[in-house]
Amino acid sequence: MKSFIRQVLEKLLKEETPISDIIFVLPSKRAGAFLLNELSLLSSESIFAPKIYSIEEFAEEVSGLKSIDNTTTLFEFYEVYQKLTSKEELENFETFLAWAQSLIHDFNEIDRYLIDAEKFFDYLADIQDINHWSKQNRTELIENYLKFWAQLPQYYQVLKENLVAKEQGYQGLIYRAAATKIPEYTSENANHNYVFLGFNALNSAEQIIFQELLEKQLATVYWDIDNVFLKDYHHEASLFIREYLKDWPFYQDNPLNPGIEEYNKEKDISITGIPKNVGQAKYLAELLADKSEAELEKTAIVLGDESLLLPILNSLPPNVKDLNITMGFPLKNAPVTSLFNSLFDLHTKSGSSYYYRNVIAILNHPSLHQILKPYASKFIQKINKENTVYLKLEDIQDNFPEDLKEFIGWCFNDWKNSAKIAIENFQNIVFSIKNILKEEQTSKLQLEFLYHFHKLFNQLQTLNNTYPHINSLTALRNFYNEIMSTQSLDFQGRPFKGLQLMGMLESRALDFENVIITSVNEGTLPSGKSNNSFIPYDLKKSYNLPTYREKDAVYTYHFYRLLQRAKKVTLLYNTESGGLNSGEKSRFLTQLEIEKQPKHELKINTVSPKVPKVNNELKVIEKTPAMIEKLKSLANYGFSPSALTSYIRNPLDFYYQYVLGVKEEEEVEETVAYNTLGTVIHDSLEEFYQPLEGQVLTEAHILDFRKRIGKEVATQFQKTYTKSPILKGKNYLIFEIAKRYLSNFFDLESNRLKNGEEIKIVKIEKNLKTKIAVPELNFPVYIKGKVDRVENCNGITRIIDYKTGKVDQSKIEIVDWENITTDYDKYSKSFQVLAYATMMKNEENISLPLEGGIISFKNLKGGLLKFAKREKPRGGSKDFSISEDTFTAYQDQLKKLITEICNPAIPFTEKEI
């Protein structure tokens, strides 16, 4: 396969003009590099390399203006805006940014297409005026709005004059200047020969430049368009070139030579639908894995969606030895980027203290591990343990030694909403990380990232010094993001060896034998509508400005031009809809099917990843001698009722929590958790009732408790939750709920007294431990726990367990004793109550029968929910007394359960929950 560039060079080498004297102008620098490579392969002797320009560089050469980036243009525009706008109507820089970006884009388009700006903006102002014609009494807001549109010609003119005076320009202004100066330029360079190749969609300024050079016979233009498209007057691929051949005077007298005959040759075209973007990356790897080194040399991967770069790089098979990537690695994907984003998050939030998540995000960042270890991890543990939601600067600094306080200051000192202070601190942080990395002599890539951030902050510093408009951290962050979006790290590689990986625009004027294009979906190829403009669609059409239709035609040309000379084409598209992706294949693929050429071999298929069958087998953990020793230790220490019910619910949970000792990671509890609320209620009741042990409860006691509710709950929240004030947000509501729970509980107690019950407090939050005789085990077994309350009511002893959740009477009743150690949902509450009753009976020698039950704070209307034995599951009588028979039946089941837990032959088997 001969590439388009090679064909042109072969033709030029046969002509009289030495190729070294020709000035080449191409769509991109990349195409220029390929041209020099092809020339070196074609030349049999040493020659001077010809001069090569990209079209943007050539426009700069002709215009005499130096290109400035979008950021600098925004600052220059704000200077103009300040001069021409009255102080009353002047917007600050942050508000200005919201609309200025779109307006500069429109200025750019107006200049590139050589439109009379004054007439155009007058027309635009009149449209806005007509939109408000029906408003009889125009408000001040509408008047200011219309005044703004009327001022646009002035903004444009002064910005243009200012930039030209500095010999600078944004892209459109450079093109306008080049179109104006091209006659003068051609006169001064009449002895030069120019070759333009690989162009398609030209703006009006480029058309003037091309036509001027053609008319003066100083240039030759080589269009890369196949006859299949050129002769099809409805095909978008040839839309622009057909117009030039029809409208340019030069082509009236010098018709284009016969077009190219490449597209209708034999081609193997495969269209494959794959679910998800990452699926495309994985399938691409499979396609490449079968290719030899020679085939990879002739292969290009063109990314329709450039965000697929990293998934593809991570999926490349080992046979890809050489790879050339024309796209850079976006700086925003660098690991250290998240550190600077976290610092912005911390300092753009106003307040005298810092939110703990923002602080932890900085202290825990991998880039700072070597600087802050081990102090950062200890401080984070302290934050989690003490449940500190908001931190002051002093709280942070006090946890780091003197030699780190300067660094901590750069991160956490008040930046006073100053861009200058922020940039200085960023630079200090960058240098500190750099010094640590240099000492360790590791991670050259990390150093490269830091160098680019150093350059970025230098650029921000220069802009801030030159244009003092960045007067807040929010404005600084906007510009940081603006510059960041254009920054990338170039990959190093051998540009003409191995597999080529590029974006669609980098493929201009380049040809490859094997082409793989990804993300050939509607909305990506072509990209579809986007409206980043103040100019209405109708006005664009009137002035021949490009609309989304022309943009689609540009993509159509690039797509089909890649296919022109290729022999094997693989087109991948995403079949899944999700997010911004519709899952609809591109119209280009449908067009290929409908307009299939006779010699094209077209295959259409869909693939899906092989999903291995996952057998959700329940885990089984065999007991080892070490585990048995741990169980013996637990038995001697004492199994708690909650540990035993944990085993009933799921033996695997018991294994993780009690045998391995795996605990939940401690985290800051921003909103009071339900178990914390339960602790607060329990501890408050302990404080109220413990002094009454051995006494009879009276109405006076309850009255005293009511007065102390608010103070006691606040004290318990401080002990259990946090010392910080909680009188705001959800936590305040939970604080009030705790008070209401206690108030309702005291109502229940008061009603019991009024109903003639005599309540004597026996024990409150009593720690108990009792031995259980298990003949099958040759080691001692104990159960232990803390009973919430033991009272004597009218001569009957009651064991009471508090529950802040909702419990119904049915959950504290038992029919079949066999089920008490197997059915967690139905019988766990009964199991716990009887465990406490067993411990009290054995340790305190209380007389039988007794009663046991639960007070549910979400079901206080039910009063004390007493444990009961039922004859039948439905109906039948209930026995609320706990007698010797009850203890005998319960202890039989308890011993069976403990025997099973400690039996080496019975593994811990997971239950389906």
Side-chain angles (χ1 to χ4, degrees):
M1 178 211 75
K2 277 187 187 178
S3 68
F4 171 62
I5 290 174
R6 190 182 187 91
Q7 289 171 354
V8 172
L9 288 176
E10 284 179 352
K11 186 177 179 185
L12 292 173
L13 285 167
K14 292 173 187 173
E15 294 180 357
E16 293 178 9
T17 308
I19 204 155
S20 299
D21 295 342
I22 295 173
I23 296 171
F24 287 91
V25 183
L26 294 105
S28 66
K29 290 181 181 179
R30 177 103 185 118
F34 267 79
L35 186 143
L36 284 176
N37 182 56
E38 290 282 11
L39 186 55
S40 69
L41 296 173
L42 286 170
S43 300
S44 54
E45 55 188 28
S46 297
I47 59 170
F48 285 105
K51 192 175 280 187
I52 298 174
Y53 291 111
S54 69
I55 186 63
E56 287 86 5
E57 290 170 338
F58 186 64
E60 280 187 52
E61 169 78 11
V62 176
S63 69
L65 300 178
K66 189 182 177 198
S67 177
I68 57 172
D69 59 26
N70 187 51
T71 306
T72 308
T73 309
L74 277 167
F75 278 104
E76 290 285 349
F77 185 24
Y78 192 64
E79 297 264 295
V80 171
Y81 172 73
Q82 278 184 310
K83 285 178 189 173
L84 300 178
T85 311
S86 65
K87 282 188 178 180
E88 299 78 41
E89 296 165 6
L90 191 67
E91 293 179 342
N92 63 34
F93 194 49
E94 288 170 52
T95 312
F96 166 83
L97 284 177
W99 53 266
Q101 294 268 23
S102 297
L103 198 53
I104 286 173
H105 174 267
D106 289 340
F107 287 172
N108 208 29
E109 290 291 276
I110 288 162
D111 282 334
R112 279 156 34 94
Y113 285 85
L114 306 179
I115 289 165
D116 185 330
E118 192 170 348
K119 286 183 181 176
F120 183 85
F121 284 123
D122 284 346
Y123 196 163
L124 192 56
D126 289 343
I127 289 172
Q128 298 302 326
D129 203 6
I130 289 168
N131 288 339
H132 295 86
W133 69 272
S134 63
K135 309 288 187 295
Q136 295 293 326
N137 299 312
R138 287 179 173 173
T139 64
E140 187 182 351
L141 184 67
I142 292 173
E143 289 294 345
N144 288 339
Y145 177 74
L146 296 174
K147 188 177 177 183
F148 165 78
W149 289 104
Q151 280 184 301
L152 286 185
Q154 203 178 358
Y155 289 150
Y156 167 82
Q157 191 59 37
V158 176
L159 175 63
K160 177 181 166 185
E161 289 168 3
N162 285 1
L163 290 175
V164 171
K166 295 178 183 178
E167 296 186 348
Q168 294 177 331
Y170 50 84
Q171 191 194 66
L173 185 56
I174 290 171
Y175 273 117
R176 189 188 279 272
T180 306
K181 292 182 179 179
I182 191 66
E184 180 188 336
Y185 179 84
T186 52
S187 302
E188 293 171 0
N189 296 274
N191 56 341
H192 289 152
N193 285 324
Y194 297 88
V195 168
F196 294 85
L197 69 150
F199 288 92
N200 170 45
L202 304 175
N203 59 51
S204 300
E206 287 169 334
Q207 290 184 50
I208 295 289
I209 293 166
F210 276 47
Q211 290 187 72
E212 182 68 23
L213 288 165
L214 285 171
E215 292 293 340
K216 297 276 178 69
Q217 297 186 341
L218 298 177
T220 309
V221 180
Y222 290 92
W223 305 104
D224 188 10
I225 187 73
D226 198 279
N227 275 335
V228 170
F229 312 124
L230 202 56
K231 291 174 181 177
D232 183 349
Y233 290 98
H234 299 292
H235 207 294
E236 285 189 327
S238 58
L239 174 71
F240 299 104
I241 295 173
R242 278 200 315 272
E243 284 180 6
Y244 308 149
L245 297 179
K246 185 180 79 170
D247 298 339
W248 289 6
F250 176 81
Y251 287 117
Q252 308 307 314
D253 303 322
N254 304 279
L256 187 69
N257 292 331
I260 297 160
E261 295 284 349
E262 293 284 352
Y263 182 69
N264 54 12
K265 291 181 180 176
E266 286 185 7
K267 294 186 195 304
D268 182 2
I269 301 173
S270 172
I271 298 172
T272 306
I274 306 158
K276 302 287 182 187
N277 282 334
V278 73
Q280 294 182 70
K282 298 300 178 189
Y283 182 67
L284 186 60
E286 289 182 19
L287 294 176
L288 297 174
D290 300 332
K291 294 192 184 293
S292 65
E293 198 170 328
E295 285 179 304
L296 289 171
E297 289 276 346
K298 301 171 185 174
T299 301
I301 300 169
V302 181
L303 304 185
D305 177 1
E306 294 189 7
S307 67
L308 271 181
L309 175 63
L310 288 180
I312 286 173
L313 289 180
N314 286 317
S315 304
L316 289 176
N319 63 311
V320 177
K321 300 285 190 293
D322 292 302
L323 174 68
N324 182 50
I325 305 166
T326 63
M327 296 173 290
F329 179 86
L331 192 59
K332 65 183 178 183
N333 292 337
V336 75
T337 306
S338 57
L339 172 63
F340 301 120
N341 287 336
S342 296
L343 285 163
F344 270 123
D345 288 339
L346 183 89
H347 289 284
T348 48
K349 305 278 192 304
S350 58
S352 58
S353 54
Y354 299 128
Y355 182 47
Y356 82 99
R357 282 189 191 275
N358 292 337
V359 173
I360 289 176
I362 294 164
L363 296 179
N364 217 12
H365 197 278
S367 301
L368 302 185
H369 278 180
Q370 295 304 315
I371 297 173
L372 300 178
K373 69 176 187 182
Y375 306 103
S377 55
K378 286 180 181 174
F379 182 42
I380 291 167
Q381 285 174 4
K382 185 181 175 186
I383 292 170
N384 290 332
K385 190 174 181 181
E386 295 182 358
N387 226 41
T388 313
V389 179
Y390 290 96
L391 297 140
K392 293 190 179 294
L393 175 64
E394 304 78 53
D395 300 331
I396 302 168
Q397 284 186 324
D398 290 347
N399 286 276
F400 291 89
E402 280 301 319
D403 60 324
L404 284 177
K405 283 191 176 172
E406 185 180 31
F407 184 86
I408 292 297
W410 294 333
C411 295
F412 297 106
N413 276 346
D414 184 5
W415 288 1
K416 298 180 169 58
N417 204 26
S418 163
K420 184 174 182 289
I421 293 172
I423 294 166
E424 286 171 2
N425 286 332
F426 280 134
Q427 288 286 37
N428 289 333
I429 292 165
V430 166
F431 279 109
S432 295
I433 299 171
K434 181 203 80 170
N435 293 336
I436 288 287
L437 291 175
K438 275 201 164 183
E439 283 173 24
E440 294 184 349
Q441 295 186 335
T442 56
S443 189
K444 288 182 180 176
L445 182 61
Q446 190 77 343
L447 282 168
E448 189 69 28
F449 288 141
L450 284 172
Y451 173 67
H452 274 72
F453 273 103
H454 169 62
K455 288 202 308 183
L456 187 151
F457 291 127
N458 268 350
Q459 187 180 350
L460 282 169
Q461 201 159 26
T462 305
L463 285 168
N464 193 40
N465 293 338
T466 311
Y467 310 96
H469 308 312
I470 306 179
N471 48 20
S472 71
L473 287 177
T474 307
L476 177 67
R477 188 172 197 175
N478 287 336
F479 269 101
Y480 165 82
N481 290 333
E482 174 75 28
I483 297 171
M484 171 80 77
S485 64
T486 63
Q487 296 285 316
S488 60
L489 277 75
D490 293 331
F491 289 94
Q492 291 183 343
R494 300 171 68 179
F496 312 110
K497 185 172 172 60
L499 178 69
Q500 301 289 321
L501 182 56
M502 61 188 67
M504 184 59 82
L505 293 178
E506 280 89 21
S507 70
R508 287 176 294 180
L510 308 181
D511 294 293
F512 302 94
E513 199 166 292
N514 302 320
V515 174
I516 302 169
I517 307 178
T518 68
S519 304
V520 191
N521 284 82
E522 278 300 309
T524 305
L525 281 177
S527 62
K529 295 179 183 180
S530 60
N531 189 25
N532 183 28
S533 174
F534 285 117
I535 306 170
Y537 177 81
D538 291 343
L539 191 55
K540 284 187 175 185
K541 289 296 287 180
S542 301
Y543 278 85
N544 292 321
L545 282 170
T547 64
Y548 67 89
R549 292 177 183 276
E550 283 70 31
K551 193 176 176 183
D552 286 356
V554 170
Y555 276 98
T556 307
Y557 172 80
H558 292 320
F559 176 80
Y560 279 99
R561 206 208 59 74
L562 269 171
L563 271 56
Q564 264 178 202
R565 294 175 184 81
K567 292 181 180 175
K568 184 172 177 59
V569 179
T570 305
L571 305 170
L572 310 179
Y573 70 94
N574 183 1
T575 58
E576 289 288 305
S577 58
L580 297 176
N581 180 50
S582 64
E584 183 184 355
K585 69 180 183 180
S586 172
R587 68 192 78 166
F588 297 160
L589 302 182
T590 308
Q591 197 172 6
L592 278 174
E593 294 173 45
I594 294 168
E595 299 174 356
K596 179 180 169 295
Q597 299 296 306
K599 292 184 180 180
H600 289 185
E601 184 72 31
L602 192 63
K603 297 172 191 163
I604 301 168
N605 64 317
T606 55
V607 297
S608 58
K610 291 176 183 174
V611 181
K613 187 180 178 183
V614 179
N615 295 321
N616 291 324
E617 294 178 0
L618 297 174
K619 288 182 183 175
V620 177
I621 310 289
E622 297 292 339
K623 289 172 185 165
T624 63
M627 287 185 202
I628 297 300
E629 288 304 312
K630 177 67 178 176
L631 288 168
K632 285 179 183 178
S633 171
L634 279 170
N636 188 52
Y637 177 73
F639 291 113
S640 67
S642 57
L644 294 170
T645 53
S646 162
Y647 183 87
I648 294 167
R649 182 175 181 270
N650 187 358
L652 214 62
D653 290 345
F654 175 88
Y655 165 70
Y656 288 135
Q657 191 172 348
Y658 295 98
V659 179
L660 294 184
V662 176
K663 295 180 181 177
E664 286 187 20
E665 188 179 350
E666 206 165 13
E667 291 182 347
V668 173
E669 199 180 299
E670 287 185 64
T671 303
V672 177
Y674 214 80
N675 59 342
T676 305
L677 175 62
T679 304
V680 168
I681 299 292
H682 274 72
D683 291 353
S684 297
L685 289 172
E686 182 181 356
E687 287 297 319
F688 287 132
Y689 282 90
Q690 203 156 46
L692 300 184
E693 283 187 1
Q695 297 181 38
V696 174
L697 184 67
T698 66
E699 193 66 53
H701 291 134
I702 295 171
L703 194 61
D704 176 53
F705 296 161
R706 287 187 190 279
K707 291 175 184 173
R708 291 161 46 200
I709 288 175
K711 187 177 179 183
E712 191 57 49
V713 169
T715 303
Q716 295 305 329
F717 264 114
Q718 284 197 336
K719 280 169 60 179
T720 308
Y721 180 61
T722 178
K723 292 181 174 60
S724 307
I726 62 162
L727 298 178
K728 59 181 178 181
K730 288 183 182 177
N731 287 343
Y732 178 65
L733 296 176
I734 295 167
F735 175 77
E736 290 296 323
I737 287 168
K739 286 163 62 178
R740 178 63 63 86
Y741 275 175
L742 289 173
S743 178
N744 291 346
F745 176 75
F746 294 141
D747 288 344
L748 174 68
E749 296 279 77
S750 184
N751 288 334
R752 288 177 65 193
L753 292 178
K754 286 174 184 173
N755 291 334
E757 292 184 26
E758 183 185 70
I759 304 168
K760 182 181 178 183
I761 306 299
V762 179
K763 296 288 179 186
I764 294 294
E765 297 294 337
K766 172 69 175 174
N767 284 308
L768 298 166
K769 182 175 179 179
T770 190
K771 191 170 184 179
I772 302 294
V774 184
E776 293 87 349
L777 302 177
N778 59 358
F779 50 87
V781 176
Y782 292 89
I783 60 171
K784 64 184 283 291
K786 184 187 274 192
V787 63
D788 291 337
R789 171 168 161 171
V790 181
E791 66 174 39
N792 191 295
C793 180
N794 297 337
I796 298 172
T797 303
R798 286 178 172 173
I799 313 292
I800 297 173
D801 193 22
Y802 298 136
K803 298 289 182 190
T804 44
K806 184 169 183 182
V807 180
D808 294 320
Q809 179 64 44
S810 61
K811 298 291 184 184
I812 193 84
E813 295 174 352
I814 190 161
V815 177
D816 187 351
W817 284 103
E818 292 287 332
N819 294 333
I820 198 167
T821 56
T822 56
D823 193 331
Y824 174 85
D825 285 338
K826 278 190 179 177
Y827 301 120
S828 62
K829 305 292 187 297
S830 298
F831 184 94
Q832 288 184 354
V833 168
L834 291 174
Y836 293 127
T838 301
M839 287 185 266
M840 280 298 295
K841 172 180 170 284
N842 291 357
E843 297 303 308
E844 299 293 326
N845 294 319
I846 54 176
S847 57
L848 299 181
L850 54 84
E851 292 178 346
I854 286 173
I855 290 179
S856 167
F857 282 82
K858 278 197 173 179
N859 187 17
L860 284 174
K861 287 180 181 177
L864 175 65
L865 307 172
K866 294 180 186 178
F867 166 78
K869 302 183 293 293
R870 295 177 69 109
E871 292 178 353
K872 304 174 188 173
R874 297 178 187 280
S877 61
K878 295 181 188 179
D879 181 5
F880 292 105
S881 67
I882 300 175
S883 61
E884 194 64 55
D885 291 342
T886 311
F887 283 116
T888 303
Y890 172 70
Q891 288 187 33
D892 285 345
Q893 299 304 319
L894 178 63
K895 288 172 187 177
K896 278 185 190 176
L897 179 66
I898 293 172
T899 305
E900 181 184 317
I901 291 172
C902 298
N903 189 339
I906 300 176
F908 293 112
T909 304
E910 185 179 12
K911 278 187 183 177
E912 281 190 39
I913 299 172

